C-alpha cells in the first residue's frame, strides 16, 4: 500500500513541477478596447485583423437602446491585431451588414470571402416576431465583391420566425457549419446543431450534435 502512495505522490509532484514550468497561455485585459458596454465575440479576420461585437456608442449612429439592458444595439466592429494581442484602429465592420438591430458573433470562411453572422430577425427592412411577440435571432451569410465590399446577404433556409438560430462556427476544413438553436425536437432549451456545406453552395439538413 505504501508503494502506491509513494507512486501517486511522485506523479503529483511531477505534475505540479511541469505545470509551473510550461507557459500555456496568458489572459490579458485589453483596456484600450473594452468599454463599459458589451464587448465580446472575437473572430479572426485574416492574419492581423479581428471582428467583434460591441454595443459601444458611436457618434455616426443613432444609438437606439435595447430595452433589456438599456445599452445601444450590438454592431460588428473590426480592428487591427498587434503582436502583443492589443486591438487598434477600431471601426465599424460593414454598413451593409450592420443594422439598427443586433449583429454579433461573426465567423469567416478560410478565403475571407464569406462571413456568417447572427442578427435579429430583420431582413430586407422587415422586422418579424413569432406568435408570442418575440423577435428571435437568425443566421445570415454575406459575400464580399471584387471591390472588397460586403453584400449579397442571405437569410439561411433553416432559420424560422418561431425560434432562434445563431452564433455560427466553422469546422477547420470549412465543410461544416455549427450553430445554436432552440428549434423544436432538441434535447434541451438550446442545443448545438451543424449542417454540411455542400459543394454547390447549399446546406444539408440540421443535425443535433447531442446524443443520438
Amino acid at each position: 500500500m505504501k508503494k502506491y502512495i509513494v507512486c501517486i505522490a511522485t506523479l503529483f509532484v511531477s505534475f505540479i513541477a511541469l505545470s509551473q514550468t510550461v507557459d500555456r497561455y496568458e489572459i490579458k485585459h485589453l483596456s484600450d478596447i473594452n468599454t463599459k458596454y458589451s464587448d465580446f465575440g472575437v473572430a479572426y479576420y485574416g492574419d492581423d485583423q479581428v471582428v467583434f461585437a460591441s454595443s459601444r456608442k458611436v457618434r455616426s449612429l443613432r444609438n437606439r437602446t435595447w430595452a433589456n439592458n438599456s445599452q445601444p444595439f450590438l454592431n460588428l466592429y473590426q480592428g487591427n491585431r498587434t503582436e502583443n494581442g492589443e486591438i487598434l484602429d477600431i471601426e465599424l465592420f460593414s454598413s451593409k451588414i450592420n443594422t439598427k438591430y443586433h449583429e454579433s458573433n461573426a465567423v469567416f470562411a478560410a478565403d475571407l470571402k464569406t462571413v456568417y453572422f447572427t442578427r435579429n430577425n430583420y431582413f430586407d427592412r422587415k422586422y418579424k416576431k413569432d406568435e408570442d411577440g418575440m423577435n428571435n435571432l437568425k443566421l445570415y451569410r454575406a459575400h464580399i465583391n471584387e471591390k472588397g465590399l460586403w453584400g449579397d446577404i442571405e437569410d439561411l433556409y433553416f432559420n424560422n420566425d418561431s425560434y432562434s438560430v445563431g452564433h455560427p462556427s466553422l469546422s477547420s476544413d470549412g465543410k461544416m457549419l455549427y450553430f445554436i438553436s432552440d428549434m423544436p425536437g432538441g434535447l434541451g432549451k438550446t442545443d448545438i446543431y451543424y449542417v454540411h456545406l455542400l459543394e454547390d453552395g447549399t446546406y444539408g439538413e440540421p443535425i443535433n450534435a447531442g446524443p443520438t
Side-chain angles (χ1 to χ4, degrees), residues 10-196:
T10 302
L11 288 173
F12 180 73
V13 172
S14 299
F15 174 76
I16 294 297
L18 179 63
S19 65
Q20 292 177 343
T21 57
V22 177
D23 293 330
R24 291 175 293 175
Y25 54 83
E26 177 186 355
I27 297 175
K28 182 179 181 180
H29 176 69
L30 302 181
S31 57
D32 291 336
I33 182 177
N34 287 313
T35 65
K36 66 178 182 179
Y37 300 99
S38 297
D39 303 289
F40 66 95
V42 175
Y44 290 108
Y45 183 37
D47 294 330
D48 55 3
Q49 288 189 307
V50 296
V51 171
F52 64 96
S54 178
S55 57
R56 65 189 59 204
K57 288 186 175 181
V58 179
R59 291 182 180 179
S60 60
L61 299 178
R62 294 174 60 188
N63 290 319
R64 299 167 58 256
T65 56
W66 186 38
N68 286 26
N69 62 8
S70 299
Q71 292 189 14
F73 281 81
L74 294 164
N75 280 289
L76 291 173
Y77 291 80
Q78 68 183 75
N80 296 322
R81 180 167 59 94
T82 66
E83 291 183 358
N84 63 355
E86 295 291 342
I87 301 175
L88 307 175
D89 305 321
I90 298 167
E91 60 184 3
L92 285 166
F93 174 57
S94 167
S95 60
K96 294 294 184 180
I97 289 178
N98 286 321
T99 66
K100 58 185 178 180
Y101 296 104
H102 289 304
E103 285 83 24
S104 70
N105 297 84
V107 64
F108 296 88
D111 61 5
L112 304 181
K113 294 181 179 180
T114 302
V115 61
Y116 297 88
F117 63 96
T118 305
R119 181 196 286 167
N120 283 116
N121 186 353
Y122 179 71
F123 187 64
D124 284 342
R125 299 185 178 182
K126 295 179 181 179
Y127 182 87
K128 296 183 179 181
K129 299 179 179 181
D130 63 15
E131 294 180 353
D132 298 322
M134 177 67 69
N135 174 263
N136 292 302
L137 300 177
K138 283 192 172 185
L139 193 58
Y140 299 89
R141 179 173 71 173
H143 301 281
I144 200 167
N145 61 25
E146 62 278 359
K147 296 181 179 180
L149 301 175
W150 291 99
D152 190 24
I153 300 174
E154 303 172 54
D155 181 346
L156 301 188
Y157 89 90
F158 44 83
N159 289 322
N160 194 291
D161 294 343
S162 300
Y163 52 79
S164 286
V165 177
H167 305 334
S169 180
L170 286 168
S171 62
S172 58
D173 61 7
K175 294 182 179 180
M176 289 192 293
L177 174 68
Y178 291 84
F179 57 91
I180 62 96
S181 180
D182 58 353
M183 65 176 63
L187 302 174
K189 174 112 179 127
T190 301
D191 288 353
I192 298 174
Y193 291 81
Y194 64 91
V195 293
H196 291 280

